[in-house]
Amino acid sequence: MRLSRYFLPILRETPKEAEIVSHRLMLRAGMIRQESAGIYAWLPLGLRVLNKINAIVREEQNRAGAVELLMPVIQSADLWRESGRYDDYGKEMLRITDRHEREMLFGPTNEEMITEIFRAYVRSYKDLPLNLYHIQWKFRDEVRPRFGVMRSREFLMKDAYSFDLDAEGARHSYNRMFTAYLRIFARLGLKAIPMRADTGPIGGNLSHEFIILASTGESEVFCHKDFVGMETPPENIDFDDRATMQGVFDKWTSLYAATDEMHDMAAFEVLPEADRVSARGIEVGHIFYFGAKYSEAMKAVVNGPDGKEVHVQMGSYGIGPSRLAAALIEASHDEAGIIWPDAVAPFNVGIANLKVGDRAVDGACEDIHARLEKAGLDVLYDDRDERPGAKFATMDLIGLPSQIIVGPKGLAEGRIELKNRRTGARENLSPDEAVNRLTARA
């Protein structure tokens, strides 16, 4: 992609309304634009990041056995009255009426709708277990939206919903999602710690929040230091093996970890002082097991092995990709800008042409650009007639992991510069060496 043909509205000044690092950098880097309080347009650079996050989430949900569908954004109020949540949910729910005076709502979550879909089609225990998920925009009318997309009114959410015949099966489904979440966050370059959590308006008696530690986190969290060094479940883990899934859950819940709402100071202080971590944290995922709360209220039943009707056991599992984009920035940035993990960087490589119009420099950049893209890398080629300093600042601000700098002096000696954004390390290599180095990682 040539930057001269791309839409990248960089801001030179930090917007006054931006209170936290991720909000400031997302606005400055041209990732998002506020259209109303808590409502943002995702500009091309931001959308590239969002799509890469979604791709990882999809791969790991599919690996864990979940099946994707897509539910509508607008829901009938009647469904929520069936579950008993319509009046209880509060002012966060945006309630609307269509031209036929039917009461509708802009969905803040989808437990009711997925239960309605399930009961319409599934009749036998032989069709269980089942886990359905989608990635969809939601709306919650926050009284005070703030921190950019970290706490916005409109947001992108991945919801998964599990259906099982009994509590034992439902617990296995919970453990599968628990394991999948550990893998998702690790692939995003995050160390997420599962912490016992309040179930809130979703309901149920088992819930975990996945928290990343960040100095700008919205809440205080407490955990054992050994979480930082725990190994993530491998790609080839057997999601169907109940003992394996329970083992992952047991390992990752064997040490103390709690948000401020669930914190037990006495239990925490039993730990040796050197093992205690008290820090700020950002919630990046939340999972729930709520049993038959919705299936009983909405009569979602299957015929069991004995022919008798059984209310299915359910769980729900949420990740906010739009929130994750901000959380990644909070966890990884410096004074120059964003430092993306390779997996979700909007472009893997940036090429800075330091003398546009010079035949040799133009030719070298064109060749490198073509070879990297042919190898499957996402490349942003800065071919603008701008000062070198402006090009360096742009690549650092938007967080391109690898940066190739091509100038006439170095090229005359057969060398270009390869910079690592995260470490700041620079190497002088031949164009072939630089291309081979980068394509070897693709």
Side-chain angles (χ1 to χ4, degrees):
M1 175 63 67
R2 294 174 178 273
L3 186 50
S4 62
R5 300 176 186 171
Y6 197 58
F7 181 58
L8 184 63
I10 297 289
L11 300 181
R12 296 186 183 276
E13 302 295 326
T14 299
K16 294 179 181 179
E17 72 272 17
E19 300 176 59
I20 61 172
V21 170
S22 59
H23 193 191
R24 291 196 294 270
L25 290 177
M26 292 180 87
L27 289 170
R28 285 199 56 218
M31 291 180 64
I32 58 172
R33 176 177 173 76
Q34 182 171 317
E35 299 299 335
S36 184
I39 299 175
Y40 292 85
W42 285 76
L43 305 181
L45 194 79
L47 184 59
R48 290 182 74 93
V49 172
L50 202 56
N51 286 341
K52 289 190 175 186
I53 292 172
N54 288 343
I56 290 173
V57 171
R58 278 194 173 94
E59 286 172 14
E60 294 301 330
Q61 289 293 276
N62 296 344
R63 193 192 309 279
V67 180
E68 187 172 10
L69 78 168
L70 182 60
M71 290 177 272
V73 172
I74 302 299
Q75 303 182 30
S76 168
D78 291 341
L79 283 177
W80 285 68
R81 289 197 173 96
E82 274 194 70
S83 71
R85 287 207 299 172
Y86 185 71
D87 294 322
D88 295 341
Y89 204 88
K91 292 184 177 180
E92 287 75 26
M93 181 188 288
L94 183 63
R95 302 159 206 265
I96 56 179
T97 304
D98 69 12
R99 65 170 64 193
H100 301 292
E101 301 301 318
R102 289 181 292 237
E103 292 180 288
M104 314 292 283
L105 58 97
F106 198 124
T109 184
N110 280 76
E111 282 79 11
E112 284 80 3
M113 184 166 285
I114 198 68
T115 304
E116 189 274 333
I117 290 172
F118 176 89
R119 74 184 180 187
Y121 296 107
V122 182
R123 295 282 187 268
S124 172
Y125 74 96
K126 294 179 181 179
D127 296 321
L128 302 179
L130 182 64
N131 189 316
L132 301 172
Y133 80 96
H134 71 162
I135 299 175
Q136 178 213 55
W137 290 97
K138 314 269 188 204
F139 189 91
R140 293 178 189 163
D141 200 4
E142 295 277 356
V143 64
R144 189 188 169 202
R146 52 183 179 156
F147 303 150
V149 298
M150 188 71 77
R151 182 166 290 182
S152 55
R153 293 195 295 164
E154 186 179 74
F155 55 95
L156 191 63
M157 179 67 72
K158 186 284 304 179
D159 309 88
Y161 300 94
S162 61
F163 301 85
D164 287 271
L165 181 64
D166 53 30
E168 183 181 352
R171 184 56 193 268
H172 178 52
S173 292
Y174 188 92
N175 291 345
R176 287 163 71 109
M177 287 293 102
F178 185 97
T179 302
Y181 274 40
L182 292 173
R183 285 196 43 76
I184 288 168
F185 298 127
R187 287 188 60 188
L188 292 170
L190 297 171
K191 174 64 71 171
I193 301 170
M195 301 190 179
R196 193 167 58 87
D198 183 25
T199 58
I202 300 293
N205 55 15
L206 179 63
S207 177
H208 285 85
E209 290 180 5
F210 288 78
I211 304 288
I212 62 168
L213 305 182
S215 60
T216 51
E218 59 198 335
S219 60
E220 192 170 8
V221 296
F222 307 85
C223 66
H224 195 290
K225 70 175 181 60
D226 287 356
F227 274 111
V228 178
M230 280 193 182
E231 290 189 14
T232 304
E235 181 178 329
N236 64 351
I237 195 166
D238 187 354
F239 280 95
D240 291 325
D241 186 273
R242 294 195 177 196
T244 298
M245 292 296 100
Q246 188 63 47
V248 172
F249 179 86
D250 291 344
K251 175 184 175 182
W252 282 84
T253 57
S254 62
L255 301 174
Y256 188 89
T259 60
D260 51 358
E261 294 140 340
M262 307 295 285
H263 181 46
D264 182 342
M265 182 60 78
F268 186 60
E269 290 182 345
V270 169
L271 301 178
E273 189 171 352
D275 291 340
R276 298 179 210 158
V277 174
S278 175
R280 308 298 295 179
I282 300 171
E283 179 196 335
V284 289
H286 202 161
I287 63 178
F288 304 83
Y289 165 52
F290 42 71
K293 173 179 178 177
Y294 297 93
S295 61
E296 287 182 352
M298 300 181 68
K299 299 179 175 59
V301 297
V302 296
N303 292 320
D306 59 1
K308 294 181 180 179
E309 288 190 341
V310 179
H311 289 98
V312 291
Q313 298 286 304
M314 294 175 58
S316 69
Y317 315 90
I319 287 178
S322 53
R323 180 184 177 85
L324 262 174
L328 284 161
I329 296 171
E330 292 292 332
S332 187
H333 63 271
D334 61 16
E335 291 183 358
I338 303 165
I339 305 176
W340 291 115
D342 290 349
V344 298
F347 296 94
N348 308 113
V349 185
I351 302 172
N353 183 333
L354 300 190
K355 194 167 185 181
V356 175
D358 182 288
R359 180 176 298 178
V361 175
D362 289 349
C365 289
E366 296 281 357
D367 180 63
I368 293 168
H369 184 203
R371 291 168 66 188
L372 292 176
E373 287 200 329
K374 187 176 180 180
L377 292 168
D378 292 325
V379 185
L380 184 64
Y381 171 27
D382 193 342
D383 60 339
R384 301 171 300 163
D385 187 14
E386 284 276 2
R387 296 176 296 103
K391 298 189 176 192
F392 301 152
T394 295
M395 287 197 294
D396 281 350
L397 173 62
I398 66 177
L400 304 189
S402 297
Q403 302 171 11
I404 290 177
I405 300 160
V406 185
K409 290 183 180 179
L411 194 60
E413 300 172 358
R415 299 288 173 183
I416 61 175
E417 190 174 280
L418 178 61
K419 175 186 170 183
N420 182 298
R421 172 70 179 93
R422 183 171 294 278
T423 66
R426 299 170 181 264
E427 296 179 85
N428 288 312
L429 305 169
S430 71
D432 284 345
E433 288 172 330
V435 169
N436 291 338
R437 177 84 58 86
L438 293 171
T439 55
R441 304 176 196 162

